[in-house]
Amino acid sequence: MRLFFILLKHEIKGLLLSPSTYLVAMLFMVSMCLTYAIILQDFAVAAKSKPPAELFFSFFVIPTLFMIPLITMRSIAEERRTGTLGAMLTTMVTPTTFVLCKYLSAYFFYITLWIMTVIIPAIVIWSLPASVSIFEPSTMLGGYIFIALSGLVYIAVGIFSSSLTRSQLVAGMLSFCILFLLIVGGRLLMDIPLSESEHVNSLEGIINYIQVFDHQRDFSKGLIDSRPVFLYISSAVLLLWLSVRVVEAKA
């Protein structure tokens, strides 16, 4: 266990000392500030059916598709390319410890980026009169819970993609494609007209179960369902298990 925390500390320290980390953080915060500004501007022009916070979290797909590949693409692929992966696994570091440390450090960075976005509504609330309330606490809390849960899977996708190749570029592209299919693919499948049958109804039920945008909407309304919680946690565990198996096979 002591070795695990030493390696995890090393990974987090490496992230904090990397210039690319601050570049990704800057791009993320700029994109989120612009998103908030556009939402609030539209909200000021005309009343919307959804509160600003719920609209903001509905744009999670943009940073997810582009930021997560940037965060995770070099995690294992670069270790394999430089040859340090094989050398590390000849020590007391196990493939499970190695993958978990890579995963937790990337997840820590991902969550930190999203926590930083709390500053934006805080500034807006501070600048408005006390009688004006546009950010519901339940919406904000539910939205961030969704981000934390879904991030478990999305970071695991990035780590798994990075474990399959020694090229950062290939890992990033593969991660983007898988994330696109997971997030957008389900929504596109719902638009395909299907005939009525028992098998089709079962398939439609599965597609509805994995609808990320529906999960985001429910969480942002304060509706915490145990089904998506189980889906995200179990999917993350499966992807990490596959990553460990790949690292063991290719070490």
Side-chain angles (χ1 to χ4, degrees):
M1 187 60 69
R2 180 173 175 270
L3 180 62
F4 172 82
F5 286 109
I6 291 175
L7 187 57
L8 179 60
K9 181 180 178 181
H10 171 76
E11 293 295 333
I12 294 176
K13 184 178 179 180
L15 279 174
L16 295 177
L17 295 178
S18 175
S20 61
T21 298
Y22 298 95
L23 176 61
V24 171
M26 184 187 69
L27 291 174
F28 176 83
M29 288 303 297
V30 168
S31 64
M32 292 296 96
C33 288
L34 290 176
T35 301
Y36 251 123
I38 293 172
I39 291 173
L40 292 176
Q41 185 178 16
D42 290 342
F43 194 82
V45 172
K48 305 294 182 182
S49 59
K50 297 180 180 180
E54 186 176 341
L55 289 173
F56 171 73
F57 286 114
S58 66
F59 284 93
F60 79 97
V61 62
I62 299 175
T64 297
L65 288 178
F66 293 98
M67 292 297 107
I68 286 184
L70 290 176
I71 295 172
T72 60
M73 65 182 186
R74 69 185 303 271
S75 55
I76 299 179
E78 182 67 11
E79 299 279 4
R80 178 172 286 117
R81 187 188 67 83
T82 58
T84 55
L85 174 59
M88 185 176 298
L89 294 181
T90 58
T91 64
M92 296 178 62
V93 178
T94 64
T96 302
T97 299
F98 175 78
V99 170
L100 284 179
C101 288
K102 292 290 185 181
Y103 172 77
L104 291 176
S105 60
Y107 183 75
F108 166 79
F109 180 45
Y110 176 76
I111 292 300
T112 301
L113 290 179
W114 277 101
I115 290 176
M116 290 168 58
T117 61
V118 177
I119 298 173
I120 307 172
I123 293 174
V124 174
I125 293 172
W126 177 76
S127 62
L128 291 174
S131 59
V132 179
S133 177
I134 61 174
F135 294 104
E136 292 291 335
S138 60
T139 300
M140 298 295 294
L141 179 61
Y144 281 109
I145 291 175
F146 167 77
I147 293 299
L149 282 173
S150 60
L152 292 172
V153 179
Y154 302 148
I155 294 296
V157 167
I159 296 296
F160 174 67
S161 301
S162 185
S163 70
L164 295 174
T165 177
R166 62 179 62 243
S167 170
Q168 294 185 42
L169 180 60
V170 173
M173 293 175 62
L174 181 60
S175 176
F176 175 87
C177 292
I178 296 176
L179 290 172
F180 184 86
L181 290 175
L182 287 176
I183 299 173
V184 183
R187 176 61 63 184
L188 296 178
L189 287 174
M190 290 299 296
D191 297 332
I192 300 176
L194 299 174
S195 59
E196 291 292 333
S197 70
E198 182 178 350
H199 297 292
V200 171
N201 290 335
S202 299
L203 178 61
E204 187 175 354
I206 295 174
I207 295 174
N208 286 328
Y209 178 61
I210 63 174
Q211 282 297 320
V212 177
F213 290 103
D214 290 348
H215 299 160
Q216 177 270 319
R217 184 184 64 249
D218 292 341
F219 274 81
S220 295
K221 291 180 178 179
L223 303 175
I224 310 299
D225 192 346
S226 60
R227 291 176 298 174
V229 173
F230 174 78
L231 174 65
Y232 291 132
I233 294 177
S234 60
S235 299
V237 171
L238 175 61
L239 286 167
L240 290 176
W241 179 81
L242 291 174
S243 300
V244 172
R245 299 286 80 80
V246 171
V247 169
E248 286 179 340
K250 295 189 173 184

